[in-house]
Amino acid sequence: MVTSKEIRKKYLDYFISKNHALVASDSLLPENDHTVLFTTAGMQQFVPNLMGKPHPKGKRLCSAQKCVRTNDIDEVGDNRHLTYFEMLGNWSLGDYFKKGAIQMSFEFLTKELKIPAEKIWVTVFGGDKDIPLDTESIEIWKKLGIPEERIIPIGPKPGGKKGRGDNFWGPAGSGGGPCGPCTEMYVYIGKEKPKKEQTPATDETDFIEVWNDVLMEFNQDADGKLTKLAAQNVDTGMGLERIVMVLNGNPTIFETDSFSAVITATEKISKKKYPPYSGDIDVKNPITRAMRIIADHSRAATHIIADGAIPSNEGRGYVLRRLIRRAVRYGRTLGINTPFLTKISDAYIQDFKEFYPEIEERKETIFTTIKIEEEKFFETLERGEKILEEILEKNPKVISGEDAFKLFDTYGFPLDITRDIAREKGISVDERKFDQEMEQQKKRSREGKGEFFDRKNADRKIFENLPKTKFIGYEKNEGKSKILAIQEVGEGIVEFALDETPFYAESGGQVADTGLVESDSGIKIEVQDVQKMPNGVFVHIGKIISGESPLEKENKVFLKIDVERREQIRRHHSLAHLLHAALKQVLGKHVEQQGSLVESTRTRFDFSHPKAVTKEEIREIEQIICDWVNSANEVATKEMPLEEAKKAGAEALFSEKYENIVRTIRMGDKSFELCGGTHVRNTADIGAIKIISESSVASGIRRMELVCAKEAQRFLWKLSDMTESIAASLKTPVEQLEERVKIFLQERKDLENEHIAINKEIVRLETDELIPLQKDVNGKKVVCEPIPTGDKKKIGALARELVQRGIDVAVTFTRDGGISVASKGKISAKDILQKITEFAGGSGGGAQNFAQGAGVNLEQFQEIRKRVEEECKM
């Protein structure tokens, strides 16, 4: 048997031998590509290079890339569809083109992998109104020995969703980008010789696509317009799981070694056998489908969490939540009724940690995140399944869009799980109406937010082709610079880019610097924000506060940041690093940074931890940070290669994308992290520190807020003033305040208990007065009386007390129309309340033996009493 590890190594070694440089897999969470939630293809990290930017490792590259695609999530469980997969790829950036790509692809398949050439079929781009049939690729394949009948041109299908068809790839996402025709390689796996009409274009069962050479010649804009790229590029991809399946003759990808560990773990937990291992390859077998979905989704969730995502209700966090919840739900169909996915994830990690070390390094975070989400969803699942059963009892043929949306919105029950359950029962879901309900909710949400000027997403095309801004702010607080581009974005508001600047652009959780920019002509701009574009250009946003003649490109300006504000930001940023280290020391190595905000007035730090941090732990964390501050450690910065920094032990965020050369921040032997922010020169500069809050942000994610230096002093002064004020109000010395408050609270509790006892006695006495007013209605004792009070709690207590003392039905009213109904036995208090409100107004609700309401018109009291008695006759 050939393993995925062997194929991955063979592939990378082959292309390295062909002068390709190995590039590490990019994160699944693309940093600068907002058109997609995840990395869906190996080429995504190379988009700037495919557009012409030189890559530091040269013109020939290769990689094994982690990918996640969820557009086929409902198909997972068949013989080939996955959400998480590995894509082996090689790239030419203006080097070889069609001939070189096709020759190397064919050589690797036939000579390295020993696939018989007669089993290989290929497709080429069939042409459309913009691009002709790819005759060049056809001729190359023919010269390699592929007969013309096994070369299939494929163009766009009439009314098809894929635009130019299956043999035109890209761009990735919806915002445009590099793209081009492709030629795909298929392996015929059928047992019989293919029939004349059988081709990769007509048969997706016996023909398996194993390789795709994308011949990138074009850039497509958001409107679909094509323009020629400056250089011809090649982007290839081979799905690792598929090629392993083909080489081993496995019936599906799920019988390869990529899945053996997770499926074996699922068998052990569920105490059920995976049917295909015994020869049952029916994809409709519910056990087969469940185990495959669990295997796929657990692999995907493991990598997504390792790369920095957490479950949430939007974006990639929602996709992660959906994957975990679908896996849990299919676990239930196997009889697994307790959290189990961490065991599946662990089995996968042990099998793949050698090539993807981050899943082992972040194992504790992965397990904590999965476990919390599982436990929460088990509760949701039980509640949602009961509601769904009630819905199906009313209408066993279809689940309405309104009901599906209620399950989602109110009970957290995802649509795809509702759909899965419905499919198993042979019924449908009105998804069109569900989408309408969802859109209405989004509209209400948008209307609730109001309008605002979105600086971060403004049109900044004029800055796209500028050189990277040189940041001089590590050493300088002011300087002279040249304006490279400027635009007005509002009345008196301008955005501009400079060749160099001391202004720090918002990044890494640290807010931007503010300050002044002044021209020789006397124009002054108050800089309010600085944003960093993906191309490294700093966009300064500011308000013109004086001067008349407009600034223009090439003008020289003087720059000065708000130094005092910067110093406070430095202190709070360095404090965040020390907090991170202290959290790991006190709470455990599983703690990972999940986000931060560093301002001049505070540090906000989010981190992974399964439960609230105790008061004692907070105090210990504070003490550790104070000791580190007081030890006056030098804060040293150093630039070094990324891999060297990681090997030296520098903390890095998996959700961040770093350059090849990184900046490290070392604070003595306490903290060592990758960071591009500004910091103090010595930990002693941080000054006094105080943790002012600790709270939950999401499941498994906690948040701390801290202050230091002047802000800590102000906070402590405020606490001191408050304490002295309270002590003065209680006429107690400050040192005795805690004891006095305890006495005060006990006195209050004693008074409350006394008040409760008095109220009970009042209710007992008033009940004595009401019992004689009872009427006998067909053998039932009924009291229906107004009470001279406005206290709704009191009339409720009276009604309950009356029933406890032998009355069958008690209906009591406040003077302003409040109502309480108590009953016993089969008489429904809820029904009686409904009868009253139907004719006397008001509203309310309750249960079988107790109900309450308000708004009853007591001018109709005699009629109310009559109807109560009539109801009791039934």
Side-chain angles (χ1 to χ4, degrees), residues 662-701:
V662 294
R663 183 169 180 264
T664 64
I665 306 296
R666 187 186 291 275
M667 301 182 185
D669 61 351
K670 313 306 178 187
S671 172
F672 184 35
E673 296 192 26
L674 305 185
C675 183
T678 59
H679 288 273
V680 297
R681 296 156 190 82
N682 189 292
T683 58
D685 296 337
I686 294 173
I689 71 105
K690 185 75 182 77
I691 297 173
I692 61 174
S693 70
E694 192 277 341
S695 60
S696 172
V697 178
S699 295
I701 307 297

Side-chain angles (χ1 to χ4, degrees), residues 164-175:
R164 294 185 170 87
D166 290 334
N167 273 69
F168 190 95
W169 195 95
S174 58

